[in-house]
Amino acid sequence: AIAWYPTRYDARRLFGSTNEGFRTFESGADRRVAVMAVFGGEDNLPGATREDAALLRERLEEDPRIKDCMVKVFPGQGHGFAHANLGWEAAGTTTNEDGLDDRFSGEDYGNVDPLAGGGGGSGDAEVACLLSTAWMETYGRVFLPTVGTPVRYDADDRWSAQLEMDDGSLLEGRRRRNGRTDVRAELGEAVARHEDVDVDLRRMSRSRSPLSEEGGTSGSEAFDEFEDERERMRREILERYDIREDDDEETFDRKFERAREDGALDGLLLDAYMDDSGGAYW
C-alpha cells in the first residue's frame, strides 16, 4: 500500500499494537501489508503534516500486520507537491512538429531535467514516483517471494531511520552538468569499472536424465514412460498426504512441507549431484 500526503484518517486507531483496523483478509488469512507513505515537509493539512508522518511511522512500526514500512517527508514541499501542475509544459521547453517535448529526443536523450511539473522543479516529484514504483514492484509480486532485509531494518539509516528525505539519497555520486543529471557519464563510469567474471564451466548442469541417455524426446516411448511414472508418483503423494484442491494456502503449505521432509518429493525430480568443484549442485 502507498499513501501520498494522506488526510482524513486516525493513525492511532488504524495502526499500532492496539489497532481497530481489519486483522484478516476476506479469506480469513492474517493481514501482512507493506506500507509506504509520502509527505511534504511544509504541508499543513491535518493528517499530512510532518508531525503526522512521525506518528504514522511510529504506529506502523508497532503494528504486527505491517511486514515493512517506509515513511518519507520531503523538506520544503507542500501538499500535493508531486502532482501540482502535472501535465503543464515545463518552462523553457519546446515541442517538435509532432507535439513531443524536445527534451526527450536528439543527442541528449537520457540527460533530462528533473520533472519540472511537480515539486517546484527540485526533482522531488520524480524521486517520489521512483520510490513508489520500486515499492510496488518489490511487494506486488505474485509468483516470486520478496526476500532480503525489510527497508525499515536496512543498515543504511537514510532509509530505515531518517524521516526526512535526504537530498543525496538517490543523487549521491552523480555527475552534474548545468543542473542536469549526466546519464552518459554514469554509463561511462559503469563500463570503466566493469570487471569480467571467469565462468566455471564445471558447474554447468550435466543431466543424468534417462531421456538424454536413451535419446528420448517428447513423444518417444522413453519420454512417455518417464512422464507416466512421474504422474503415478504425483497421485500417490496427493493421496498419501491428503492434498486437496480446496486446501487453503496454509493447509497446503503444511502438507507439502511434511511430504518434503519425508523425502516423498525426491523421486519427482531428476537426480541432483555435487559437481567437481563441490561448491554447488544442479
Side-chain angles (χ1 to χ4, degrees):
I2 299 175
W4 292 56
Y5 11 84
T7 61
R8 299 173 182 256
Y9 69 101
D10 188 336
R12 289 185 173 85
R13 295 181 62 184
L14 289 177
F15 306 105
S17 57
T18 57
N19 66 80
E20 299 178 19
F22 292 104
R23 298 179 182 273
T24 61
F25 291 106
E26 294 180 356
S27 64
D30 292 336
R31 283 182 180 267
R32 295 287 291 165
V33 184
V35 178
M36 173 186 164
V38 173
F39 290 79
E42 301 300 319
D43 201 333
N44 57 10
L45 291 181
T49 66
R50 186 197 180 284
E51 292 72 22
D52 292 316
L55 173 62
L56 177 60
R57 187 177 71 171
E58 176 185 335
R59 301 295 289 184
L60 290 174
E61 291 176 345
E62 297 174 354
D63 198 318
R65 302 167 302 172
I66 306 303
K67 60 184 177 182
D68 196 5
C69 63
M70 182 172 68
V71 178
K72 285 299 175 186
V73 176
F74 286 77
Q77 298 295 351
H79 191 77
F81 70 89
H83 295 81
N85 302 330
L86 193 63
W88 286 19
E89 183 174 319
T93 62
T94 59
T95 56
N96 57 31
E97 59 183 8
D98 296 323
L100 301 177
D101 194 332
D102 280 339
R103 293 183 305 160
F104 301 98
S105 61
E107 186 178 36
D108 288 333
Y109 181 74
N111 187 15
V112 300
D113 293 325
L115 292 181
S122 66
D124 285 350
E126 182 179 23
V127 172
C129 290
L130 289 172
L131 286 177
S132 299
T133 300
W135 194 266
M136 287 189 291
E137 290 180 346
T138 299
Y139 289 108
R141 297 176 178 173
V142 176
F143 299 105
L144 295 176
T146 297
V147 298
T149 304
V151 174
R152 59 175 167 174
Y153 300 133
D154 196 280
D156 188 341
D157 62 6
R158 290 178 301 177
W159 303 111
S160 56
Q162 286 185 201
L163 185 63
E164 279 80 11
M165 188 67 193
D166 183 357
D167 290 341
S169 292
L170 295 181
L171 303 179
E172 181 180 356
R174 285 189 169 186
R175 291 178 179 267
R176 289 282 174 171
R177 185 179 65 195
N178 298 326
R180 307 166 80 185
T181 302
D182 193 343
V183 178
R184 294 183 183 278
E186 290 185 13
L187 293 175
E189 290 179 0
V191 171
R193 293 194 303 265
H194 175 74
E195 296 181 3
D196 289 332
V197 178
D198 292 333
V199 179
D200 185 358
L201 299 180
R202 295 176 304 169
R203 297 166 67 89
M204 295 182 66
S205 176
R206 297 175 297 174
S207 175
R208 293 186 176 181
S209 164
L211 301 185
S212 62
E213 295 171 3
E214 300 177 16
T217 57
S218 178
S220 68
E221 182 177 350
F223 182 90
D224 292 341
E225 290 179 356
F226 185 76
E227 289 300 305
D228 288 345
E229 177 62 14
R230 286 184 56 152
E231 177 62 17
R232 184 194 66 78
M233 295 175 65
R234 188 184 73 86
R235 293 183 178 278
E236 184 177 288
I237 292 171
L238 293 178
E239 182 177 351
R240 178 179 176 184
Y241 293 95
D242 193 30
I243 299 176
R244 303 173 180 272
E245 291 185 0
D246 56 356
D247 285 341
D248 58 36
E249 185 175 353
E250 182 179 352
T251 301
F252 174 82
D253 288 345
R254 185 176 65 254
K255 294 177 179 179
F256 187 86
E257 181 63 20
R258 186 157 61 91
R260 188 191 66 79
E261 292 176 350
D262 292 346
L265 305 179
D266 295 348
L268 289 176
L269 307 174
L270 297 177
D271 292 337
Y273 65 99
M274 295 300 295
D275 63 19
D276 296 337
S277 67
Y281 67 87
W282 300 84

